[in-house]
Amino acid sequence: MNDPENPPTTQRKDASAALIGAFWFDGGKGATAMSWADLHELGDARDRPGFPWIHLQREAVGTREFLSGSSGLPDIVCEAMLAAESRPRTTAFDEGIMIDIRGVNLNPEEDTEDMVSLRLWCDGRRVISVRRRRLMAVDDVREAIRRNFAPTTPAELVIMLADGLTVRMGSVISTLDERIDDLEEAVVTAESHELRLQLSAIRREAIGLRRFIGPNREAIQRLVNDPVDWMAQGDRLRLREVADKITRYVEELDSARERAAVVQDELSSKLAERLNKNTYVLSVIAAIFLPLGLLTGLLGINVGGIPGEQWPWSFASVGVGLVVLGFVEYWLLKKLRWI
């Protein structure tokens, strides 16, 4: 069994590299690993107790060949499973259901809001999944298999994968809340430039997570409501719990965005108050020195060589002219509604 946990983004020449992992579940908490050759000999898988799970690398060469050939999936399902861009959704077909759900990206050196996608096909007798980047939820299933707690039905496997993707959102959202708590405490003392950058980063991350987690809830809820005979009532209740958990995460993300906006408003208010205080101090200083400047300006007038310099009332005329000019400026500013 091939297990390339971090496959390259370019297509591989070896078609068998498309297989990340495959298991045959016997329906009794046990599972047996399958090879690439076993998949092509699997057939319809109706004559054996249990069901298979086939987990493929989306960009590998053999994935498209297997989906459109040996798997027998409809062409529209194959294209949806291999599409470069997609949104979380659940789509019902006559043959089965295709589910596209997202999870937070917990791979090293990657952004958590750059969500990872898992696409599933389930028709009640098999589960086929496709991914591009490593998913911790798949590791959870592997660990359950190792401990002999493998899923017993296709519906249970789908629920385990969906819940594994969902539960990891909680730690990321909790970290987001803690960062906002720190910013609320630091708003009094932190430098405004640094604080604004942190607020922008948090709001951007919350928006990115909210963008896909919200549709995730709709996809799971659609799966709960679809009338498929291979999903028992207990399975629907577990899926409903997953949908409720996603709803809570969406509400927490909305709350985080609102809290970040409140902190940003408080920061803007604080900066405005600081600016007003500085402006007031400068205004007081200007008011103190304005008469002194006017007095020194009048006493320092250079009237030598201008007409009327010998007239006894020349200085008084200049003073009166300045007063008139001041009233004209006041009237003009008043008319323009600048004051």
Side-chain angles (χ1 to χ4, degrees):
M1 178 185 64
N2 298 310
D3 185 19
E5 289 297 339
N6 294 287
T9 56
T10 56
Q11 290 186 340
R12 302 178 180 185
K13 295 182 179 180
D14 185 5
S16 63
L19 181 63
I20 299 173
F23 295 91
W24 183 274
F25 298 94
D26 57 19
K29 301 294 184 179
T32 304
M34 302 174 64
S35 67
W36 181 253
D38 294 335
L39 300 185
H40 292 279
E41 299 173 359
L42 191 60
D44 196 25
R46 291 179 182 270
D47 55 348
R48 292 176 57 185
F51 67 97
W53 172 39
I54 305 164
H55 189 45
L56 303 171
Q57 165 63 25
R58 194 190 77 192
E59 296 183 347
V61 176
T63 299
R64 179 177 291 275
E65 297 175 0
F66 175 79
L67 291 179
S68 59
S70 302
S71 71
L73 294 181
D75 292 340
I76 188 173
V77 175
C78 294
E79 294 301 322
M81 297 276 281
L82 298 173
E85 299 292 336
S86 65
R87 295 277 290 173
R89 58 174 176 162
T90 294
T91 306
F93 298 88
D94 293 337
E95 300 87 351
I97 291 180
M98 196 207 81
I99 311 157
D100 187 341
I101 52 179
R102 297 291 182 99
V104 293
N105 190 352
L106 299 178
N107 292 311
E109 300 181 357
E110 296 192 23
D111 296 331
T112 54
E113 64 267 26
D114 187 14
M115 308 285 282
V116 292
S117 173
L118 177 64
R119 299 161 194 186
L120 298 163
W121 168 263
C122 184
D123 53 16
R125 63 180 187 275
R126 59 180 176 172
V127 177
I128 301 175
S129 59
V130 175
R131 60 87 155 160
R132 178 174 177 265
R133 286 171 290 191
R134 180 179 179 179
L135 298 165
M136 301 299 180
V138 174
D139 295 340
D140 292 343
V141 178
R142 293 177 183 273
E143 179 62 18
I145 293 172
R146 188 186 67 81
R147 297 169 54 202
N148 292 324
F149 285 102
T152 58
T153 64
E156 187 176 347
L157 174 59
V158 171
I159 294 170
M160 185 178 293
L161 290 171
D163 188 57
L165 286 173
T166 302
V167 72
R168 286 178 170 81
M169 299 176 185
S171 60
V172 175
I173 296 175
S174 297
T175 302
L176 206 63
D177 288 333
E178 292 174 0
R179 289 164 60 190
I180 297 177
D181 291 338
D182 295 337
L183 289 179
E184 287 177 337
E185 296 178 1
V187 71
V188 179
T189 57
E191 293 293 332
S192 60
H193 179 68
E194 179 184 355
L195 201 58
R196 283 183 170 181
L197 291 179
Q198 295 180 32
L199 281 170
S200 298
I202 288 177
R203 296 187 71 178
R204 182 174 63 251
E205 186 174 346
I207 291 171
L209 291 172
R210 177 66 169 79
R211 178 186 176 191
F212 287 106
I213 292 180
N216 251 19
R217 173 182 55 186
E218 298 173 6
I220 298 297
Q221 193 61 48
R222 173 71 184 276
L223 183 59
V224 172
N225 297 330
D226 275 337
V228 290
D229 54 5
W230 48 267
M231 184 172 294
Q233 183 63 27
D235 297 327
R236 296 182 188 278
L237 293 176
R238 290 181 59 189
L239 274 177
R240 188 171 289 113
E241 291 180 2
V242 175
D244 292 342
K245 191 181 300 182
I246 297 176
T247 299
R248 187 176 72 251
Y249 292 155
V250 170
E251 292 172 351
E252 291 179 1
L253 283 174
D254 291 338
S255 175
R257 291 171 58 186
E258 293 173 0
R259 290 177 61 196
V262 170
V263 174
Q264 192 165 23
D265 291 341
E266 185 176 352
L267 176 61
S268 299
S269 177
K270 180 182 177 182
L271 293 177
E273 182 181 354
R274 183 185 302 174
L275 178 61
N276 291 336
K277 182 178 180 180
N278 294 339
T279 304
Y280 174 75
V281 172
L282 293 176
S283 299
V284 170
I285 295 174
I288 293 174
F289 285 95
L290 183 60
L292 300 177
L294 177 62
L295 181 60
T296 55
L298 285 175
L299 295 178
I301 293 177
N302 184 9
V303 295
I306 67 173
E309 63 175 312
Q310 300 300 326
W311 185 41
W313 299 98
S314 59
F315 183 81
S317 300
V318 172
V320 172
L322 291 175
V323 173
V324 173
L325 179 60
F327 276 109
V328 171
E329 290 180 350
Y330 177 80
W331 172 82
L332 181 61
L333 293 176
K334 196 74 172 177
K335 184 178 181 180
L336 295 175
R337 296 184 178 179
W338 288 6
I339 59 175

